[in-house]
C-alpha cells in the first residue's frame, strides 16, 4: 500500500518518500492492515510522515517509531481484532 495518497500535498525528496513508503508497508504488514480507509492506516501514515518531516529517514526506525505510537490492547494485535470482528459478522 503506497504512502503517497496520505502526503496531502507535502513534498519530500524521492529518497525520503521511498523510505517512508518502505516503513509504511512494513508497519501495515505488521499490523495486518489492508484497508486504505481504516483509521489506523491513516494514523500510521500520518505518524511516519510526521517523523520524516522531523528528520528521520531510516525506514526501520520510521516503522518502529510509528508502531510504538500504536499500542494494541494487551494480548491482541490489530489483525487479531479485525479477524475476531469478521468472525462475529
Amino acid at each position: 500500500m503506497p504512502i503517497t495518497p496520505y502526503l496531502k500535498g507535502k513534498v519530500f525528496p524521492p529518497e525520503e518518500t521511498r523510505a517512508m513508503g518502505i516503513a509504511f508497508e512494513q508497519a501495515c504488514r505488521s499490523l495486518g492492515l489492508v484497508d486504505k480507509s481504516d483509521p489506523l492506516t491513516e494514523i500510521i501514515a500520518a505518524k511516519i510522515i510526521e517523523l520524516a518531516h522531523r528528520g528521520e529517514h531510516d525506514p526501520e526506525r520510521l516503522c518502529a517509531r510509528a508502531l510504538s505510537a500504536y499500542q494494541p490492547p494487551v494480548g491482541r494485535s490489530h489483525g487479531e481484532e479485525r479477524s475476531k470482528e469478521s468472525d462475529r459478522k
Side-chain angles (χ1 to χ4, degrees):
M1 183 174 348
I3 197 166
T4 50
Y6 302 98
L7 293 176
K8 299 178 182 169
K10 293 180 182 164
V11 179
F12 291 86
E15 63 277 1
E16 291 176 24
T17 302
R18 186 169 91 52
M20 288 187 293
I22 291 167
F24 182 60
E25 288 178 16
Q26 288 175 347
C28 288
R29 262 194 311 274
S30 175
L31 294 170
L33 297 170
V34 293
D35 184 0
K36 290 183 206 177
S37 64
D38 186 320
L40 183 55
T41 305
E42 295 181 32
I43 290 168
I44 294 295
K47 187 64 177 177
I48 289 170
I49 293 164
E50 173 194 331
L51 292 166
H53 182 70
R54 290 183 180 179
E56 180 59 69
H57 303 124
D58 178 75
E60 295 296 323
R61 286 192 298 262
L62 283 168
C63 178
R65 291 180 66 191
L67 289 174
S68 72
Y70 169 70
Q71 298 297 321
V74 176
R76 285 191 174 171
S77 70
H78 185 71
E80 289 172 346
E81 291 173 38
R82 292 287 182 218
S83 64
K84 288 182 191 259
E85 287 175 15
S86 63
D87 289 346
R88 288 188 289 246
K89 293 180 181 178

